[in-house]
Amino acid sequence: QQLIPISTSDLLNTPVKDIEWVVDRLIQDQGITIISARPGQGKTWIAMAIAKTVALGEKLFNHFNVKKTTVLFIDEENPLNSVITRIKMLGMTHETPVIWLIGKGIKVTSDAHMEAVVKICEDNGVGLVIFDSLIRIHNSDENDSRSMARVFEQIRKLTKKNIHAKARFVT
């Protein structure tokens, strides 16, 4: 294959589609978004707030417009009791269109697990998947770029199906 560079001028003259957002200017549709911070800084609270507002079509933090869609929240970090307590504190109700997989041992590096997740998304009209947390959904070495490339390759299976994958992890 011959390498042919393109000029900035040609790039600027190339028609592009407008960016679509799940959460305006924060979470791009058909992309992967990662929230990173030290433990105990509120990442799970933010992820749950995003899940609620996207599922209900409300503004995130009363500021950011969202694209309303059903949310799948995969929580491999927190015990069931903690999840239930938090969703009550956030004001989620029986009608909030968030579905949950909690403590199921899901690994995105497993083809069988990812096929099951994709099927759940397709069967339930899910447009946003939240993983809590990245370190819990794979057995790869996070300091090895090849290993992590495989993890994100698996997560991209969701984006190829028009399901936005939002992974939250602790560094």
Side-chain angles (χ1 to χ4, degrees), residues 32-34 73-77 101 103-111 113-114 117 129-142 147-148 150-152 154-156 158 165-170:
I32 298 172
T33 303
I34 297 174
F73 200 113
I74 300 173
D75 193 324
E76 294 294 339
E77 178 93 349
L101 290 171
K104 301 296 184 187
I106 293 170
K107 301 293 183 199
V108 297
T109 47
S110 161
D111 288 332
H113 287 181
M114 285 307 291
V117 168
V129 178
I130 298 175
F131 296 99
D132 190 4
S133 68
L134 182 62
I135 195 168
R136 305 274 183 252
I137 62 169
H138 65 85
N139 294 322
S140 301
D141 178 357
E142 289 192 359
S147 294
M148 291 310 294
R150 168 85 170 119
V151 170
F152 285 100
Q154 289 289 92
I155 293 172
R156 278 192 189 86
L158 297 171
K166 182 209 161 286
R168 183 291 250 176
F169 73 100
V170 178

Side-chain angles (χ1 to χ4, degrees), residues 16-20:
V16 294
K17 296 188 307 185
D18 288 339
I19 294 174
E20 292 186 38

